[in-house]
Amino acid sequence: MSKKPRRKFETGFKKQLVAQIESGQITAVEAARTHRISPTVICYWRKQFQTGELSEGPTRGKKLL
């Protein structure tokens, strides 16, 4: 049994989705169902957005290199 490849989402998509949730257009659960994303991942993106860590720059792993 092989693993599914990990999906990667553009930062713009993440910001747009979080902005919709924050403005009350959709709930986090609705967004998770619609886009087939774990609610935990959306919660993580929201925290990153609120702290300013959700940006176009290098990822945390790349920063450590």
Side-chain angles (χ1 to χ4, degrees):
M1 189 165 101
S2 64
K3 290 184 178 182
K4 290 182 182 179
R6 184 173 286 208
R7 295 189 300 170
K8 295 182 181 182
F9 297 94
E10 298 289 328
T11 304
F13 171 77
K14 294 176 188 180
K15 286 182 178 181
Q16 180 183 13
L17 190 65
V18 171
Q20 289 176 342
I21 294 167
E22 295 290 325
S23 70
Q25 293 176 351
I26 59 173
T27 65
V29 174
E30 289 172 335
R33 285 184 188 146
T34 302
H35 298 287
R36 300 171 104 186
I37 302 170
S38 169
T40 306
V41 171
I42 292 176
C43 181
Y44 179 70
W45 291 350
R46 288 178 78 183
K47 286 180 184 176
Q48 285 183 320
F49 182 79
Q50 292 167 353
T51 60
E53 294 177 24
L54 190 60
S55 64
E56 300 287 340
T59 62
R60 186 180 310 162
K62 289 182 181 177
K63 286 180 185 177
L64 294 174
L65 295 176

